[in-house]
Amino acid sequence: MAKKNVASINIGINDKDRKKIADGLSKLLADTYTLYLKTHNFHWNVTGPMFNTLHLMFEGQYNELALAVDLIAERIRALGYPAPGSYKEFAKLSSIPEAEGVPTATEMIRQLVEGQEAVTRTARLLFPTVDAAADEPTADLLTQRMQLHEKNAWMLRSLLEG
């Protein structure tokens, strides 16, 4: 069997830590992609008196998520590991359940709040490993992701109050 031609990676993070970080980022990628798909689905299928508001809000969120999956996958690659990229892999790694059927607008909002919060938790769980490895680029990525998802969760949650 031929040996893989893999270039050595020496970025100041040992192989074991790079693997743990890449595994954690793979979960973050799966959660982000699943939330992207759910948000896009809801954008297409939302109805009701808040249609225009929600349609536009969901569009902004799924567009941002589409950019985020690329950033996360590229960080996994920079650490020297393949990024997951199939529905099967994402389903196995994600903590976010898929939407079933077409929920009401209120239920869509509730599910998206839960999804935004789930992505934040997944990112936060990776922080101790990233900090211990002094992986500042990943820490920066995680901080930006958490800040955005916490803000989105708050904005969506605000629509449920009243």
Side-chain angles (χ1 to χ4, degrees), residues 2-140:
K3 212 176 181 186
K4 279 195 211 176
N5 184 11
V6 178
S8 176
I9 296 176
N10 183 4
I11 59 173
I13 303 171
N14 68 50
D15 293 345
K16 182 180 172 189
D17 286 342
R18 281 189 301 103
K19 173 72 170 131
K20 283 198 295 195
I21 294 167
D23 288 347
L25 286 171
S26 292
K27 291 177 183 176
L28 182 64
L29 179 60
D31 276 357
T32 303
Y33 196 89
T34 303
L35 183 58
Y36 159 79
L37 186 61
K38 182 179 276 195
T39 305
H40 209 158
N41 172 17
F42 292 170
H43 164 79
W44 290 327
N45 291 301
V46 68
T47 59
M50 291 192 55
F51 168 80
N52 196 53
T53 300
L54 295 177
H55 186 74
L56 292 173
M57 177 186 261
F58 296 167
E59 181 176 18
Q61 290 179 2
Y62 81 70
N63 281 326
E64 194 285 326
L65 289 161
L67 297 172
V69 295
D70 202 47
L71 294 172
I72 298 163
E74 288 176 354
R75 184 64 193 151
I76 294 167
R77 295 298 298 135
L79 292 168
Y81 292 91
S86 70
Y87 289 123
K88 184 177 180 178
E89 287 176 293
F90 290 151
K92 189 166 40 168
L93 293 168
S94 183
S95 68
I96 299 172
E98 287 190 78
E100 294 185 21
V102 179
T104 65
T106 300
E107 179 60 16
M108 288 177 179
I109 296 166
R110 191 191 64 70
Q111 286 187 33
L112 292 178
V113 168
E114 290 174 1
Q116 296 284 345
E117 290 175 344
V119 175
T120 302
R121 289 189 304 272
T122 298
R124 195 175 308 281
L125 285 172
L126 186 52
F127 245 104
T129 303
V130 169
D131 281 346
D135 182 359
E136 287 83 3
T138 301
D140 183 52

